[in-house]
Amino acid sequence: MDDFVARTPQQLGAILRGYRGERKLTQQAVGTACGLPQGAISQIESDPTTTSLSRIYRILAALDVELVIRPRKSGDRRTEW
């Protein structure tokens, strides 16, 4: 899978769901791997706005992906929030 830019919480949820699907993992399997119930994984994938950063990092680790923070490219300064 390529790199993806998440500028909104909803985009982050979709990206997490995409990586989970690419790895053919169920929400239950990801939850078990990171110590969260399946329902929490579902909620985070659909609306991560109310979850903690700690939970996001646990899911990232379970999916074997990382968060990269970098400056936006020139001309890409508009926020979608």
Side-chain angles (χ1 to χ4, degrees), residues 38-80:
Q38 176 275 326
I41 304 301
S42 176
Q43 185 275 324
I44 291 165
E45 286 182 355
S46 44
D47 181 17
T49 58
T50 61
T51 197
S52 69
L53 192 53
S54 173
R55 282 183 166 203
I56 296 293
Y57 273 102
R58 288 164 62 181
I59 294 170
L60 292 171
L63 294 173
D64 197 28
V65 295
E66 62 188 359
L67 176 67
V68 176
I69 298 175
R70 62 183 162 104
R72 288 186 184 193
K73 295 178 183 174
S74 178
D76 200 13
R77 296 278 180 215
R78 193 185 97 222
T79 183
E80 295 181 27

